[in-house]
Every structure is written in C-alpha cells, then in structure tokens.
Amino acid sequence: MVFPKKVEKDLSRTINALGFVDNELPSENNSLDIDNEIKENEKEILDLNKQIEDLKDSYKDVIDSLSYNLSLRKEAENYENSLAIGDKYFYFSALVPENDINNVENLEKKYPDTKIITEDLKVEKKKKSKKDKDKPKNINEESYLLVYPKKVKKDVSRSINTLGFVDNDIPDNLNSSNIDREYIKVNDELTSLHRQINTINSQYEDTINNLSYSLDHAKKSEELKSNMAQGDKYFYLSGWVPESEVDKFKTLEDKYDNTILSTKDDQSVNQQPPTRLKNNKVFKPFEYLVNMYGAPSYDEVDPTPFFAITYMLLYGLMFGDLGQGLVFLALGFYISKKNKTYGALLKRIGISASVFGLMYGSFFGKEDLIPTLLIKPFDNVMTVLIASVVFGISLMVISYIIGIYNKVSKQHNIEEGIFGKEGLAGLMMMISFIIIVLNLVNKSPIPMPIGTVMLILSIIMMVFKQPIARKITGSKRLYDSNKSDYYIESSFSIIEALLSVFSNLVSFTRVGAFAINHVGLYMAFEVMANLAGGFWGGVILLLGNLLIIGLEGMIVFIQGLRLEFYEMFSKYYEGNGRLFRPISSKEN
C-alpha cells in the first residue's frame, strides 16, 4: 500500500484490525529495477499503438466502405423474394431506364457466369393496336397459353373476355417448328443427363446403398464420443459387454492400432450390471409391459415368460369373442407396419380372445352362430365366478413359489423367503385362509383344525421372523430397531397380511365378472337394435361392437395389467434392475 507517512499509525491500526499481514519486499527488488520495468512496459505500449495505427491505415478503405456495404447488402436482401432460383443460376427481370441500358449490359462482362438479355418496349408498342396504346402498362401482368378444341372457340372466347383477359400477339420468331426443335433439344439434354445419372449410380452403387448405414454409424459414433473422457492422445470409455461376447470384444485390440482394452468381471465392480433379456419371439413383445413395472435384476427370475402366458389367459377369459378377437388380430398386422411391439401385443391378445371365443361360442356378441366348446358365461354365472377364483388361487400359489425361490436361492434371504408375508409363511397363511373359508361353507376336504394350526404357525413365523432367521444365519444383531417397536410393527403387519390375502383372492372374481359383463353389454345393444329395427338396428349393432372392441377391450387390457402388477408381482418380482441398452453399429 502507498500512503503519506503522517497517516502511517492510523492506517497500520486499521489494516491490523481488518486482519491484514505485512509482507516483506523481496531483497532482490529495488526501486531502480521497478523503474526499468516501467520504461520497458511503456516502450511496448508505444509499439502496440504504432501497430494499431498501421492497421487502421491498411484497412481504411474497408472501414470507410463498411456502412455502404451494409446498406448494399440490405438492399440486395430486399430483391431476394423477386428472384427465381434454379440449380445453378438466379433469374431476375426488371425495367431499366433507356439511358442506363449500356451500364446494365456491361455487367455481363464484369461478372462471369452472368447472362443479360434486354428487350426494347418500344418495339412491342409498335405491334399493339392504336386502341391499346392509350392503356397504361401494368408490370404485374401475366401471360397464359390456352389450348382448346376449335369447336368450343366461341365459348372459350366469351368466358375469357368476361374474366378480363386480353389477347396478346404471338411473337414472330415463335412458331411450331421452333417449338419442336426446342423440345427435341431439351429431350436430348434430358436423355444425356439420365445416362450420366445411370453411370454415376453404377460407379457408386455400393456407396449409395450403404449411405443410410454410414449415417446411422456416424450418428451412433457421435453419441459414443459424448460419453467419452478425452485426453491428449486417447479417448477413454467404459461400458458393459455381454459375457458371451467378451472374447469377440477382446479381438478389437488387435484389429485397431493404438487401442488398449481392459476387462473386469462384474463381481470386481461395485456396480449392479444391467440386465439383458433373452426371450423367444412369442414372449418377447411382453418385455415392454414387464419393463413398465421395472426391469428385472440378476438376483430374480425373468418374469416375462410367466407374465406372457398368464396375461394372455386372463385377457382371453375376460374378453372371449371369436369375431372381436379376429379384429384385434387384423389390427395387429396393420399396426406392426408402424410399431412392431404394439402390433405383436395386439396379435397375441387377439389370438387369445379368439380361442376363448370358441370356448364360449361367441361371435361378435352372438352366442347362437357358432357351437360352444366349453361354457356360456352368461348362463353359468356362479360357475364362472368360482372358476375365476380357483384360477386366481393357482396363479397366486405359483407366484409365491417363484418368490420363495428368488429370495432363498438367488438373494439368500431366508428372513423374507421363509418367514416373510410374501414367502413361505405368506403362502401358508393363504392356504389356511382358504381351508377355513371352505370349512365354513361345508365344502372343504381338509379339516378345520389343520387350517387353524397352519394359520397360527404362519402368524408366529411372521411375528418372530427377524430373531429366528438371524439365529439360523448366525447374525449377532437380532433386531434392526428397538425390540418393542419391532413387535408392535409385526403385529400390525399380520393384519395387513390377512387383508392382503383376502383382497388378492377376491380380486380374481373380476375375471369372471368381465366374462359375464362382455356378453351382457352386447345383449343391451341387441335389445336397442331390435327396438329400432331395420337399417338403424344394424347401425346400433355395428356401433355397439365398435364400442365393445374399443372401450371394453382397453378396460380389460388395464385390468389384466392390474392383476399381474398388484396381485402377482408383489409376491415374486421387485423390478429393481436396469436394462442393457447397447449402441449397435447395425440399424435397428
């Protein structure tokens, strides 16, 4: 800091209060060196100023004409809308004062690739009749060539005169022979151009055929680069490679120079590997619906095959109709052209609906057109509802078994797999609940005491699952939280488990309810059609079928997903994985 000596004490007190610390000047620096450095800097500044003045003198003409050039550019932009644009040239026509014609014609010599044609308006005026001379010339006039049979000449003349058209004389140099020669000339040029195009196509056929592939490859290469770390000489990229393709991947190091590859096993990386699903053509479209819930991880079974089979069964049971199923099948083939996944799903549920339509004897809602192979839902309401619950119980048992396998075998979690409400204890509770209900209605082949014992045992397993499981595994810590809090929470979880078992079983009654409702909805439209009769009756039946296909088809689709996601997935599937999304050099 530089300050007068008389304020040294006050200033020192102030800077000390602010926490500043004095630094000693380096011993090698002195006032003489500073003066010399200042002089050198001043000399460099003078040199820079001189260079700036020289640049100003060099570009004086450019700077002086800058405003003119900007103004000229602006005027040129105003004429762009008046230009006709061809492959190689711009075409522009305008009126030029007679005394400036020479200046305009000189532009052709001044600028290469420029062709200027002038036409004297006085010559045109001499050819016009005396009557037309007095008319003002409109520069916006357009000329049209009308070609028509001679027998309608009077009618055409009357029409064009009414519209205000005026006849123009044909130029002397324009006759049919000139037109024919010009046509032949242009046609020869076109033929020559086509030959050149065919020659180019034959020479570069491989390049043209691979153009879309090359563009796709370039796009994906840029996408890869955006995920790379870049050094002075190398790009650095890490990613996942399927185990079956590791050996092929390692060969890239020999194939490309200056490439270094290093691979690690997924066990040595502190990151969950992405999931690569492998399903056959029948089940593959259902991967889309499974991934709506979540992608599977490697510590659980891929649910796609089981989901695909059960979903098609559920859809067919709720929407069994041969005619309407065939409509879905036809829509599937059409939509496959635009979206293969959606089209494939429609085809599969269409086949399922058609098969169960044959079982129900239903064709576009009519139950007297084709024979019934199994049952008529509307005539056997109680049987259909009971069958739907039995079917639901079967699916729930399979779901519990898959869940137990996932937790015990793949996740090594016996606490949830054996003693949890979605494990063996939960399965025992569901079976005991069914036995007790069947005994209450005198329909159970198994005695009530067995059901009661199973229920009590399952409750004990759920309440004491943590201490028992951790004793078995040898864990020292028996509870995750306070002991009393754990048992209070376990008691409430028992109530939740019982309600869950009951709601899961009741939910499957909707399968039978929708099968009955499907027939009932058509019958309502049929009654209205009979009342209307005739043509309007047929229209009502058509609209009714469209409504059933569109609205009820969508509702059944959603209800099937609900049963899969909430009743079944909750027992065996978590969906905490992430999909393997490779960047392929091939077009998708």
Side-chain angles (χ1 to χ4, degrees):
M1 297 182 69
V2 181
F3 50 84
K5 192 170 184 181
K6 61 182 179 180
V7 296
E8 181 178 1
K9 290 182 179 180
D10 297 330
L11 194 57
S12 297
R13 187 164 45 250
T14 302
I15 63 177
N16 288 332
L18 293 172
F20 286 89
V21 179
D22 289 336
N23 287 330
E24 294 181 0
L25 288 172
S27 58
E28 66 272 9
N29 287 348
N30 53 54
S31 60
L32 183 61
D33 293 335
I34 294 172
D35 290 338
N36 290 334
E37 192 171 343
I38 290 171
K39 288 178 181 179
E40 289 178 3
N41 289 338
E42 288 178 347
K43 185 179 178 181
E44 289 179 5
I45 290 170
L46 289 172
D47 291 340
L48 287 173
N49 285 331
K50 187 175 181 305
Q51 291 178 21
I52 291 169
E53 292 300 326
D54 292 341
L55 287 171
K56 285 183 178 179
D57 292 338
S58 300
Y59 295 98
K60 183 180 179 182
D61 294 340
V62 176
I63 294 170
D64 291 342
S65 61
L66 185 61
S67 60
Y68 169 77
N69 289 333
L70 291 173
S71 174
L72 184 63
R73 179 179 177 83
K74 185 176 181 181
E75 289 182 14
E77 288 176 352
N78 293 334
Y79 286 104
E80 284 185 2
N81 294 330
S82 302
L83 297 175
I85 302 174
D87 293 335
K88 295 184 177 180
Y89 295 97
F90 293 100
Y91 302 89
F92 180 68
S93 63
L95 295 174
V96 180
E98 189 174 5
N99 54 354
D100 288 336
I101 287 178
N102 292 332
N103 294 333
V104 172
E105 290 177 341
N106 289 334
L107 294 176
E108 188 171 6
K109 300 174 183 177
K110 188 174 180 180
Y111 300 102
D113 297 328
T114 301
K115 181 70 176 175
I116 296 175
I117 300 174
T118 59
E119 187 175 351
D120 193 350
L121 291 178
K122 291 180 179 179
V123 177
E124 290 187 3
K125 288 182 179 179
K126 288 177 183 177
K127 294 178 182 178
K128 292 183 182 290
S129 63
K130 188 175 182 180
K131 182 179 178 182
D132 295 333
K133 285 183 181 181
D134 299 331
K135 292 183 180 179
K137 176 67 178 177
N138 184 1
I139 61 173
N140 292 323
E141 286 183 355
E142 296 179 352
S143 298
Y144 296 90
L145 175 66
L146 300 180
V147 181
Y148 48 86
K150 192 172 183 179
K151 61 182 179 181
V152 296
K153 181 178 180 181
K154 290 183 179 179
D155 297 329
V156 173
S157 298
R158 192 183 306 113
S159 299
I160 61 176
N161 288 332
T162 304
L163 294 171
F165 284 84
V166 178
D167 289 337
N168 284 335
D169 294 329
I170 297 176
D172 294 336
N173 61 343
L174 186 65
N175 56 55
S176 60
S177 61
N178 290 338
I179 294 173
D180 290 339
R181 281 197 297 272
E182 190 68 24
Y183 171 78
I184 293 169
K185 181 182 176 182
V186 171
N187 198 42
D188 289 341
E189 290 178 0
L190 285 173
T191 304
S192 176
L193 286 172
H194 282 303
R195 280 199 297 268
Q196 292 178 31
I197 291 170
N198 291 332
T199 303
I200 292 170
N201 282 339
S202 60
Q203 289 177 350
Y204 300 100
E205 184 177 4
D206 293 339
T207 304
I208 293 170
N209 292 337
N210 292 326
L211 188 59
S212 60
Y213 169 82
S214 301
L215 290 172
D216 184 67
H217 188 275
K219 180 182 176 183
K220 290 173 179 176
S221 298
E222 290 300 319
E223 186 179 343
L224 270 176
K225 286 181 183 179
S226 65
N227 295 319
M228 290 181 179
Q230 183 176 352
D232 293 335
K233 294 183 178 180
Y234 292 97
F235 288 101
Y236 302 90
L237 177 70
S238 63
W240 294 94
V241 179
E243 191 174 5
S244 58
E245 297 181 17
V246 170
D247 293 335
K248 181 181 177 182
F249 176 72
K250 287 179 179 178
T251 60
L252 296 177
E253 190 169 9
D254 300 327
K255 188 176 182 181
Y256 299 102
D257 296 333
N258 299 323
T259 301
I260 301 172
L261 297 178
S262 175
T263 58
K264 291 183 180 180
D265 189 78
D266 64 296
Q267 301 296 327
S268 61
V269 180
N270 188 23
Q271 190 178 3
Q272 183 185 14
T275 305
R276 187 187 189 191
L277 298 177
K278 293 182 180 179
N279 290 293
N280 59 38
K281 291 182 179 180
V282 176
F283 300 148
K284 194 166 186 63
F286 292 94
E287 290 178 0
Y288 175 77
L289 298 179
V290 171
N291 290 328
M292 287 172 61
Y293 188 90
S297 60
Y298 283 102
D299 57 2
E300 58 187 349
V301 175
D302 179 9
T304 307
F306 182 58
F307 175 92
I309 295 169
T310 54
Y311 189 82
M312 285 190 286
L313 289 173
L314 287 169
Y315 199 94
L317 285 166
M318 290 188 280
F319 197 86
D321 189 285
L322 176 59
Q324 293 162 1
L326 292 174
V327 171
F328 277 134
L329 184 61
L331 282 173
F333 280 107
Y334 173 73
I335 293 175
S336 290
K337 298 176 183 178
K338 299 180 179 180
N339 190 302
K340 290 184 178 180
T341 302
Y342 293 165
L345 286 171
L346 272 175
K347 284 189 279 188
R348 282 153 181 76
I349 63 176
I351 291 171
S352 177
S354 300
V355 170
F356 279 92
L358 287 170
M359 300 292 181
Y360 297 160
S362 177
F363 186 80
F364 285 112
K366 299 285 287 183
E367 293 190 324
D368 54 0
L369 295 178
I370 58 175
T372 303
L373 301 181
L374 184 64
I375 192 173
K376 289 185 181 294
F378 202 79
D379 297 339
N380 301 273
V381 174
M382 206 63 200
T383 304
V384 169
L385 292 175
I386 292 171
S388 64
V389 174
V390 172
F391 179 64
I393 291 171
S394 304
L395 296 183
M396 292 292 292
V397 169
I398 297 171
S399 299
Y400 272 112
I401 293 171
I402 297 173
I404 293 167
Y405 174 77
N406 282 337
K407 292 178 178 68
V408 176
S409 178
K410 287 184 165 287
Q411 300 169 14
H412 308 291
N413 183 2
I414 64 168
E415 183 177 323
E416 292 298 331
I418 302 297
F419 303 98
K421 63 179 182 179
E422 274 85 38
L424 180 61
L427 177 59
M428 289 171 61
M429 179 177 280
M430 186 189 75
I431 294 172
S432 65
F433 185 85
I434 295 168
I435 293 171
I436 291 169
V437 171
L438 290 176
N439 273 281
L440 291 175
V441 295
N442 296 320
K443 297 289 184 181
S444 176
I446 302 172
M448 174 72 86
I450 294 178
T452 307
V453 170
M454 285 182 66
L455 180 61
I456 295 170
L457 183 60
S458 64
I459 292 173
I460 293 171
M461 291 172 68
M462 289 183 191
V463 170
F464 297 99
K465 71 175 182 178
Q466 266 192 16
I468 296 173
R470 294 186 182 188
K471 280 283 187 182
I472 295 171
T473 56
S475 177
K476 293 181 179 180
R477 188 178 180 182
L478 298 181
Y479 302 96
D480 285 336
S481 59
N482 183 275
K483 189 174 180 179
S484 58
D485 291 342
Y486 167 76
Y487 284 110
I488 292 171
E489 185 181 340
S490 296
S491 301
F492 282 106
S493 68
I494 298 302
I495 299 172
E496 181 190 353
L498 286 167
L499 292 174
S500 176
V501 168
F502 176 74
S503 64
N504 290 158
L505 297 177
V506 172
S507 288
F508 280 94
T509 58
R510 75 186 66 215
V511 177
F514 272 101
I516 297 163
N517 175 71
H518 185 76
V519 180
L521 189 59
Y522 173 78
M523 290 175 67
F525 283 107
E526 190 175 36
V527 170
M528 289 188 288
N530 291 335
L531 291 173
F535 171 77
W536 292 110
V539 171
I540 291 172
L541 285 178
L542 176 62
L543 292 176
N545 268 286
L546 291 175
L547 185 67
I548 291 169
I549 292 169
L551 184 60
E552 192 186 356
M554 181 181 66
I555 293 171
V556 169
F557 182 86
I558 294 169
Q559 290 299 327
L561 284 179
R562 187 199 176 284
L563 290 170
E564 292 282 353
F565 288 174
Y566 292 99
E567 319 306 338
M568 296 163 66
F569 273 9
S570 61
K571 304 297 179 290
Y572 72 95
Y573 184 58
E574 295 178 4
N576 294 326
R578 57 194 180 98
L579 285 178
F580 176 61
R581 301 183 186 276
I583 297 178
S584 173
S585 62
K586 297 179 181 179
E587 288 187 271
N588 294 327

